[in-house]
Amino acid sequence: MRDALKGHVDLLLLSALEDEPAHGYELVETIRDRSEGEFDLAEGTVYPSLYRLERRRLVASGWETVSGRRRRVYRLTTSGRRKLLKERSDWRAFAQAMEAVVT
Amino acid sequence: MRDALKGHVDLLLLSALEDEPAHGYELVETIRDRSEGEFDLAEGTVYPSLYRLERRRLVASGWETVSGRRRRVYRLTTSGRRKLLKERSDWRAFAQAMEAVVT
DNA sequence: GACTATACCTAGTGTTTCTAGGTATTACTA
DNA sequence: TAGTAATACCTAGAAACACTAGGTATAGTC
């Protein structure tokens, strides 16, 4: 299913940040775990996506050092949280429409 | 929802061809109707997609003239029908994984 | 006679995922 | 203790594909 994720990665990232802040590497794991292995995002996908989200002020980040390793921790902004709700409802409409055509 | 369809247009087209052959312009309408307006595919999306499907031997086409207008009518091939089943089941796995992450 | 709908075609644009490299630190293990 | 794996980040370029914006042509409507 190449490219199936196109246009949906932002929603995955925002969703994974909904409950608590997380750093990039961690988001990859969260998404892989929650999707039961279906989505194994490349780092080259995640980092640029996070930068775009930050540029759009949907997330904000800060550096943190844990046992010698630097991490950039992201959290949802207020508009990011609003965006998450919108994207989630857009996703549901999209999925429903897909089912309607596909079935 | 820009780009949400990326990677899913083939499935829409194959689905719309499942029950009977159809021409390109007609497929746009079928997909718009079944999706209740959610998917209004541009012709610049549909025609190149159909060519790619034909090149991969998933559909086959023939010209037809109805009241003076030329139409290219597409139908599923055997492997196209097999592909449809595969893509449909891939879509369901994808949608389920999306729900799992998003919820 | 002008306009709309039907029906097709296509070159180029833009966005975004992914590949394939890279750096650096810590933890494990043979 | 040397080597490898895991953690954690970064980025330039490639590839794919939906879409824009133009085009042609016929039939029907006002």
Side-chain angles (χ1 to χ4, degrees), chain A residues 17 20 30 56 58 68-69 71 73 76 83 86 89 95 100:
Chain A
L17 286 171
E20 49 188 357
T30 301
R56 293 162 63 200
L58 300 173
R69 285 204 204 81
R71 296 168 167 180
V73 177
L76 286 186
K83 180 69 171 172
K86 172 75 164 65
S89 109

Side-chain angles (χ1 to χ4, degrees), chain B residues 6 23 25 43 47 51 69 71-72:
Chain B
K6 213 107 183 192
H23 61 278
Y25 197 83
E43 293 174 39
Y47 293 118
Y51 305 152
R69 286 203 204 82
R71 295 169 167 179
R72 179 126 82 159

Side-chain angles (χ1 to χ4, degrees), chain B residues 49-69:
Chain B
S49 293
L50 287 169
Y51 305 152
R52 282 193 294 267
L53 290 174
E54 183 159 37
R55 204 171 52 229
R56 293 162 62 200
R57 306 265 189 269
L58 300 174
V59 303
S61 73
W63 286 96
E64 197 178 76
T65 300
V66 175
S67 67
R69 286 203 204 82

Side-chain angles (χ1 to χ4, degrees), chain A residues 1-6 94 98, chain B residues 3-12 87 91:
Chain A
M1 269 232 292
R2 194 179 56 258
D3 268 346
L5 272 170
K6 213 112 185 189
F94 169 79
M98 280 294 296
Chain B
D3 268 346
L5 272 168
K6 213 107 183 192
H8 301 289
V9 167
D10 285 0
L11 172 55
L12 292 178
E87 292 250 314
W91 153 255

Side-chain angles (χ1 to χ4, degrees), chain B residues 2 34 59:
Chain B
R2 195 177 57 257
R34 284 208 216 166
V59 303

Side-chain angles (χ1 to χ4, degrees), chain A residues 51-92:
Chain A
Y51 305 152
R52 283 193 293 268
L53 290 174
E54 184 158 36
R55 203 170 52 229
R56 293 162 63 200
R57 306 264 189 269
L58 300 173
V59 302
S61 72
W63 286 98
E64 198 179 75
T65 300
V66 174
S67 65
R69 285 204 204 81
R70 276 159 28 111
R71 296 168 167 180
R72 179 124 85 158
V73 177
Y74 292 88
R75 66 180 180 282
L76 286 186
T77 61
T78 303
S79 60
R81 207 164 283 279
R82 195 160 46 231
K83 180 69 171 172
L84 168 58
L85 295 180
K86 172 75 164 65
E87 292 251 314
R88 183 142 56 195
S89 109
D90 283 352
W91 153 255
R92 298 243 156 89

